[in-house]
């Protein structure tokens, strides 16, 4: 009932604002529905944010401090953890503030910043995963030439590409959104601003915006997906010709990356389903959980995957924890 009332208000307000000035403040209707348990939810989100920061910082600290881990694979994992911190910081602090707010309003400038922040986080994540897939391909298919192929200059170029390409490409597309005026002031079914939901509030027709958005997704996703498929196709081919011991070793080094790709893909499919398909038959809370997977669970699960599944990192993490316990007991 509350959601129907909010939707009716948004339609009436949209008609009113067509003749008035552009809207500069938006109401996040999802928070109104969650109002009854907002203090409990605040505590859960705060705990999750602390865990995300702790896990990712621990992973980064272990890789940076241990000279034995100063290899391309671990540097890429370090970048994945840094991106997890970047993405969660673009979402969780504002969520904690809005949960305790009385109006659940977000300003247009902050909404636009959050859109750029979260969308670039998602794009960079997939680019890093693609680079990591290529790294595994070189390590398994060309082990004797690994260090010459994956040299430090090449590693730095791949890292720069993984960050700068998504940031630059999305900025060009984001220019279309920056030029829009907004008449509606409600953002539905989301705890954070996303481009597709904000554009629905535009005063003018935005059909071209959706088409350009699909082209952007193609440029941000298809080359990287092809790189991952290419890498694992060759890894699979080499493993078929290798001994059982080599197959087990290759499997161990690939499992964390495959789990991260699957984890990312689940969140990506949830987000695309909500943005591009009619989800009116899906309950409100299910839609909220689907949107949270992308921004909340991915940066929480990734450090757990690499911290536990990767033996070298796991050994150094446990060693660091033992040292910390000894210092605490002194």
């Amino acid at each position: 009932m509350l959601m129907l009332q909010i939707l009716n208000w948004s339609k009436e307000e949209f008609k009113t604002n067509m003749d008035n000035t552009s809207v500069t403040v938006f109401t996040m209707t999802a928070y109104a529905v969650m109002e009854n348990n907002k203090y409990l939810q605040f505590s859960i989100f705060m705990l999750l944010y602390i865990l995300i920061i702790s896990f990712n910082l621990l992973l980064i600290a272990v890789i940076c401090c241990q000279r034995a881990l100063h290899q391309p694979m671990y540097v890429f994992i370090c970048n994945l953890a840094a991106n997890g911190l970047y993405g969660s910081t673009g979402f969780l602090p504002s969520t904690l503030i809005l949960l305790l707010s009385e109006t659940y309003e977000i300003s247009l400038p902050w909404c636009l910043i959050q859109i750029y922040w979260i969308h670039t986080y998602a794009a960079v994540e997939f680019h890093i995963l693609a680079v990591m897939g290529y790294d595994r391909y070189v390590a398994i298919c060309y082990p004797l030439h690994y260090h010459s192929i994956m040299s430090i200059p090449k590693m730095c170029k791949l890292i720069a590409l993984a960050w700068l390409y998504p940031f630059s490409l999305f900025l060009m597309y984001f220019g279309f959104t920056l030029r829009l005026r907004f008449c509606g002031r409600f953002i539905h079914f989301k705890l954070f601003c996303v481009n597709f939901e904000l554009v629905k509030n535009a005063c003018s027709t935005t059909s071209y915006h959706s088409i350009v958005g699909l082209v952007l997704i193609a440029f941000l996703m298809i080359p990287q997906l092809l790189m991952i498929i290419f890498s694992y196709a060759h890894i699979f081919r080499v493993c078929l010709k290798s001994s059982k011991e080599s197959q087990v070793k290759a499997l161990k080094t690939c499992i964390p990356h495959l789990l991260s790709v699957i984890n990312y893909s689940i969140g990506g499919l949830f987000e695309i389903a909500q943005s591009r398909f009619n989800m009116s038959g899906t309950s409100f809370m299910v839609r909220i959980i689907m949107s949270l997977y992308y921004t909340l669970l991915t940066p929480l699960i990734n450090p757990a995957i690499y911290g536990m599944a990767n033996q070298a990192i796991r050994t150094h993490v446990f060693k660091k924890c033992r040292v910390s316990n000894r210092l605490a007991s002194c």
Side-chain angles (χ1 to χ4, degrees):
M1 287 298 292
L2 179 58
M3 276 307 301
L4 287 173
Q5 189 177 9
I6 290 170
L7 288 169
N8 288 331
W9 287 343
S10 65
K11 289 175 184 176
E12 291 170 10
E13 183 127 7
F14 188 89
K15 292 173 184 176
T16 303
N17 286 329
M18 283 294 288
D19 300 321
N20 297 325
T21 57
S22 179
V23 169
T24 57
V25 176
F26 299 92
T27 301
M28 310 291 287
T29 60
Y31 291 93
V33 178
M34 298 165 62
E35 189 172 26
N36 291 337
N37 300 307
K38 67 179 183 179
Y39 294 109
L40 173 63
Q41 289 155 359
F42 178 90
S43 303
I44 292 170
F45 281 127
M46 176 63 82
L47 175 62
L48 289 173
Y49 189 40
I50 292 169
L51 289 174
I52 288 170
I53 291 173
S54 302
F55 288 169
N56 284 284
L57 283 180
L58 177 62
L59 192 59
I60 292 169
V62 167
I63 292 170
C64 290
C65 294
Q66 299 299 325
R67 196 173 182 81
L69 300 180
H70 292 180
Q71 299 175 33
M73 180 177 74
Y74 301 109
V75 175
F76 296 141
I77 292 171
C78 191
N79 275 266
L80 197 68
N83 189 54
L85 289 172
Y86 167 72
S88 58
T89 303
F91 159 63
L92 279 166
S94 65
T95 299
L96 294 171
I97 292 168
L98 284 168
L99 274 170
L100 299 182
S101 168
E102 297 296 327
T103 58
Y104 311 118
E105 290 181 343
I106 186 169
S107 66
L108 176 59
W110 176 246
C111 188
L112 291 169
I113 290 169
Q114 193 174 54
I115 287 170
Y116 186 78
W117 200 323
I118 290 174
H119 283 70
T120 50
Y121 149 72
V124 169
E125 185 90 356
F126 198 46
H127 280 68
I128 295 173
L129 289 172
V131 168
M132 291 172 74
Y134 173 73
D135 175 73
R136 293 300 82 208
Y137 155 70
V138 175
I140 293 169
C141 298
Y142 303 99
L144 298 178
H145 304 285
Y146 175 74
H147 291 290
S148 59
I149 296 173
M150 196 60 70
S151 61
I152 291 175
K154 187 169 185 178
M155 179 190 72
C156 293
K157 288 175 185 176
L158 288 171
I159 291 170
L161 180 66
W163 285 88
L164 296 177
Y165 177 75
F167 271 76
S168 305
L169 196 61
F170 187 78
L171 184 61
M172 288 189 286
Y173 167 70
F174 196 47
F176 291 107
T177 303
L178 294 174
R179 287 196 291 266
L180 294 174
R181 286 179 63 253
F182 301 99
C183 293
R185 62 181 301 268
F186 289 88
I187 295 176
H188 303 294
F189 309 113
K190 292 286 184 181
L191 297 181
F192 52 90
C193 287
V194 291
N195 196 65
F196 192 75
E197 291 296 327
L198 180 65
V199 167
K200 288 179 182 178
N201 289 305
C203 302
S204 55
T205 305
T206 57
S207 55
Y208 71 91
H209 207 281
S210 183
I211 295 168
V212 176
L214 288 172
V215 174
L216 176 75
I217 290 171
F219 276 99
L220 288 175
M221 295 295 176
I222 292 176
Q224 292 70 34
L225 182 61
L226 290 175
M227 174 58 73
I228 292 171
I229 293 170
F230 168 84
S231 298
Y232 277 99
H234 281 275
I235 290 169
F236 182 70
R237 177 180 59 81
V238 168
C239 286
L240 287 177
K241 300 176 183 177
S242 304
S243 64
K244 196 167 187 67
E245 185 182 347
S246 298
Q247 289 176 359
V248 171
K249 190 176 179 181
L251 189 64
K252 281 183 178 179
T253 192
C254 289
I255 278 178
H257 180 255
L258 283 170
L259 289 174
S260 292
V261 171
I262 292 168
N263 182 36
Y264 178 90
S265 300
I266 292 170
L269 288 172
F270 283 166
E271 196 62 34
I272 291 169
Q274 289 193 87
S275 300
R276 299 290 169 179
F277 299 104
N278 182 10
M279 301 286 289
S280 56
T282 308
S283 71
F284 180 79
M285 285 310 298
V286 169
R287 294 178 70 171
I288 292 293
I289 292 168
M290 286 172 69
S291 68
L292 286 176
Y293 191 101
Y294 206 50
T295 50
L296 195 60
L297 293 184
T298 299
L300 184 63
I301 292 172
N302 278 342
I305 290 172
Y306 283 101
M308 297 306 296
N310 188 290
Q311 186 177 356
I313 293 176
R314 186 172 67 246
T315 301
H316 288 295
V317 167
F318 288 156
K319 192 183 293 183
K320 206 171 187 67
C321 290
R322 282 196 296 270
V323 170
S324 300
N325 289 334
R326 284 173 192 166
L327 291 172
S329 60
C330 289

